[in-house]
Amino acid sequence: MMGMLYLVPTPVGNLEDITLRALRVLKEADLILAEDTRTTSVLLKHYDIHNQLMSHHKFNEHGTSANVVERLCAGQTVALVSDAGTPGISDPGFFLVREAVAAGIEVQCLPGATAFVPALVASGLPDDRFCFEGFLPQKKGRQTRLAALAMEQRTMVIYESPYRLVKTMQQLAEVMGQDRRACVAREISKLHEECRRGSLEELIAHFTATPPRGEIVLIVAGCDEKTIKEMNKKNNIKDIPA
């Protein structure tokens, strides 16, 4: 009988932000795969969980996945966690899931914590349609990606390091305009949680004067229809009839 691979969301800050089902799965799993065993050990110790723990991160996932799939095929239950949030969302997870699916193993992802959802909902920007960009390219393809986002009509969700936040917002302001609305959410569910809203110009000024710390989610408003029409007219692009 085949085993089961569970993707288990873990708290992005407050250790209480974990579901009862997630705790049960972690307690029952034959093996827990962790992005960083030191980080996950803190969570497991807090909830008195002592199951086998193994490192599984972006630098070794290609090497460890084959062994994990063998254990799943042998009937074991494996739980995959990242340092925080839902595995596979800008974290390791996709490669193992793909290999497990290819081997005919059932994969279940538990609902739970992820950083961008509370940031998006609390931003005050439209959340009925949005696109998740994760971390933008650092070098190759960055300018092309930024230029493409300038015309994106959906609200954009971007992960960023506190050390690169101001630079990224400056680059976004160059292609989108300084008055584009945005929100910086940081340290979600932690003691110093902050959700600062304003134009890109206002946010750049604030975080230049007060360097940010902690985990960052940047929410940027989409391009409005008026601007789209102006850009299309400038570039001689005609709207396609519905």
Side-chain angles (χ1 to χ4, degrees):
M1 182 178 178
M2 290 283 197
M4 176 86 77
L5 173 62
Y6 288 100
L7 278 66
V8 182
T10 52
V12 296
N14 194 313
L15 292 181
E16 295 179 357
D17 294 335
I18 190 167
T19 68
L20 295 175
R21 183 183 175 204
L23 291 175
R24 177 180 61 78
V25 168
L26 291 175
K27 289 178 180 178
E28 295 177 354
D30 298 299
L31 174 66
I32 299 173
L33 301 176
E35 183 180 6
D36 187 328
T37 55
R38 295 166 298 181
T39 300
T40 300
S41 291
V42 174
L43 175 69
L44 298 182
K45 182 179 180 180
H46 182 79
Y47 286 105
D48 197 28
I49 299 172
H50 306 283
N51 295 27
Q52 183 184 356
L53 193 61
M54 188 171 84
S55 179
H56 183 87
H57 47 72
K58 66 179 181 179
F59 300 109
N60 73 355
E61 61 181 345
H62 288 74
T64 59
S65 292
N67 175 259
V68 173
V69 170
E70 286 183 5
R71 296 178 69 155
L72 287 163
C73 289
Q76 291 192 10
T77 297
V78 177
L80 172 66
V81 301
S82 61
D83 287 349
T86 300
I89 303 297
S90 293
D91 279 322
F94 165 72
F95 183 79
L96 177 59
V97 169
R98 185 182 69 182
E99 296 301 297
V101 169
I105 295 161
E106 186 172 353
V107 178
Q108 288 190 10
C109 181
L110 277 59
T114 189
F116 80 82
V117 173
L120 173 64
V121 174
S123 70
L125 297 172
D127 54 12
D128 55 333
R129 295 176 67 244
F130 63 91
C131 63
F132 177 75
E133 290 295 318
F135 288 97
L136 297 174
Q138 286 305 303
K139 295 180 180 179
K140 185 178 180 181
R142 185 177 178 86
Q143 293 304 318
T144 301
R145 193 77 207 116
L146 288 168
L149 290 177
M151 300 292 281
E152 173 60 62
Q153 293 182 276
R154 296 168 294 178
T155 300
M156 291 156 273
V157 180
I158 299 169
Y159 283 171
E160 191 51 278
S161 157
Y163 309 106
R164 295 191 297 263
L165 175 64
V166 170
K167 179 181 178 181
T168 294
M169 290 195 296
Q170 289 172 336
Q171 292 175 328
L172 288 169
E174 289 175 4
V175 297
M176 298 179 177
Q178 293 190 338
D179 60 345
R180 182 71 68 93
R181 305 300 295 176
C183 172
V184 173
R186 66 179 194 89
E187 294 292 82
I188 293 170
S189 84
K190 297 179 183 178
L191 180 62
H192 300 292
E193 180 174 353
E194 178 184 22
C195 192
R196 184 164 289 272
R197 308 164 185 87
S199 67
L200 285 173
E201 182 179 27
E202 292 168 338
L203 293 173
I204 290 168
H206 172 78
F207 287 107
T208 297
T210 309
R213 296 181 179 180
E215 300 293 328
I216 302 285
V217 183
L218 174 61
I219 310 295
V220 183
C223 188
D224 58 69
E225 291 187 11
K226 180 181 178 181
T227 302
I228 291 286
K229 289 180 179 179
E230 289 175 352
M231 292 295 291
N232 286 345
K233 184 177 181 181
K234 180 180 178 181
N235 296 315
N236 197 28
I237 299 173
K238 296 182 179 180
D239 291 335
I240 299 175

